[in-house]
Amino acid sequence: MTILTTEQVLSAFKNRKSCRYYDPTRKISEQDFHFILELGRLSPSSVGSEPWKFIVLQDPKLREAIKPFSWGMATALDDASHIVVILAKKKCTL
């Protein structure tokens, strides 16, 4: 197990990027994508409630269908290698 130093974590947070445009010729490998999804699935939640679900949209017809609701993501829906919709419960009770 690799332990990151506080400096490494801070550096990662300082260097993060918010992508607005995607190169349609570049794709995330399936192995990397499954790793990313697993990190999301294992993210901590209050008392382990995990009040979220992830939906991966790969079908071009589905991507096209959600464009009217995508709040400015129309280009991303066409170009990003993966689109993940995160569904979250608004009111979580145990």
Side-chain angles (χ1 to χ4, degrees):
M1 177 178 195
T2 303
I3 303 296
L4 297 177
T5 66
T6 55
E7 292 82 15
Q8 289 172 317
V9 173
L10 187 58
S11 176
F13 272 72
K14 286 182 177 178
N15 292 308
R16 69 174 180 76
K17 304 289 185 235
S18 177
C19 297
R20 300 285 185 242
Y21 303 98
Y22 301 90
D23 180 348
T25 65
R26 294 183 68 188
K27 303 293 180 196
I28 298 171
S29 73
E30 286 303 309
Q31 180 180 2
D32 286 347
F33 187 69
H34 287 292
F35 179 71
I36 292 166
L37 283 179
E38 185 67 358
L39 292 176
R41 187 186 72 77
L42 294 173
S43 294
S45 61
S46 179
V47 296
S49 62
E50 299 179 3
W52 49 73
K53 299 275 185 206
F54 302 100
I55 298 174
V56 181
L57 294 180
Q58 294 300 90
D59 184 323
K61 290 180 184 178
L62 283 175
R63 288 184 180 205
E64 191 65 35
I66 68 167
K67 278 186 181 180
F69 313 101
S70 65
W71 297 322
M73 287 186 52
T75 302
L77 290 171
D78 291 333
D79 297 339
S81 68
H82 294 76
I83 298 292
V84 179
V85 177
I86 302 171
L87 305 176
K89 294 179 186 176
K90 292 176 103 178
K91 295 181 181 180
C92 295
T93 57
L94 296 178

